Amino acid sequence: MDAIKKKMQAMKLEKENAMDRADAQEQKSREAEKRAEKAEEDVKDLQKKIQQIENLLDETQEKLLTKEKALEEADKKSADVSAPLYVTLWSFEALRNIPLEISLMS
């Protein structure tokens, strides 16, 4: 009878240890699930931020393209305006170097 009682106590202790290990594993599992949910939320937040940054980049690139086109047009207009001015100034300088007699003839 003592052997049966000892065997029962050993089995009871073994069962309690197994239950404790199972509880500990369940707790670890719940904690891991919470960390996974938090990581998923972080990923969603980061994806949202990436999308916002990409949208901002697109807008900025469009503005840059618009400004570059405007700058090119302004450069073209400036070149168109300055070319006749250069010719006029050059012509004026050329006239200063022409002898007076020739100037009067023209």
Side-chain angles (χ1 to χ4, degrees):
M1 196 65 145
D2 278 342
I4 294 175
K5 282 184 181 179
K6 285 182 182 179
K7 182 71 173 177
M8 291 289 284
Q9 283 179 343
M11 289 176 71
K12 184 179 177 183
L13 184 60
E14 188 177 323
K15 177 191 154 213
E16 288 174 0
N17 287 339
M19 292 297 288
D20 288 343
R21 286 193 310 271
D23 289 343
Q25 291 302 319
E26 285 178 6
Q27 181 62 30
K28 286 182 181 179
S29 176
R30 285 191 296 272
E31 290 171 359
E33 287 176 4
K34 285 181 183 178
R35 286 193 308 272
E37 288 174 4
K38 173 83 169 87
E40 287 176 6
E41 289 176 14
D42 290 347
V43 167
K44 286 179 183 177
D45 288 344
L46 289 172
Q47 287 173 334
K48 206 181 267 187
K49 287 180 182 178
I50 288 170
Q51 185 63 43
Q52 291 172 345
I53 289 172
E54 286 176 345
N55 291 341
L56 182 60
L57 176 62
D58 289 342
E59 291 173 10
T60 304
Q61 286 176 331
E62 288 175 9
K63 288 178 183 178
L64 176 62
L65 185 60
T66 303
K67 296 296 181 182
E68 285 177 341
K69 286 181 181 179
L71 182 59
E72 286 177 16
E73 289 177 12
D75 282 344
K76 285 179 185 177
K77 287 181 182 177
S78 174
D80 292 344
V81 169
S82 64
L85 181 62
Y86 173 75
V87 170
T88 304
L89 288 175
W90 179 83
S91 299
F92 181 73
E93 288 295 321
L95 288 175
R96 276 186 25 196
N97 294 331
I98 296 176
L100 187 56
E101 300 87 41
I102 298 172
S103 299
L104 293 176
M105 287 188 193
S106 314

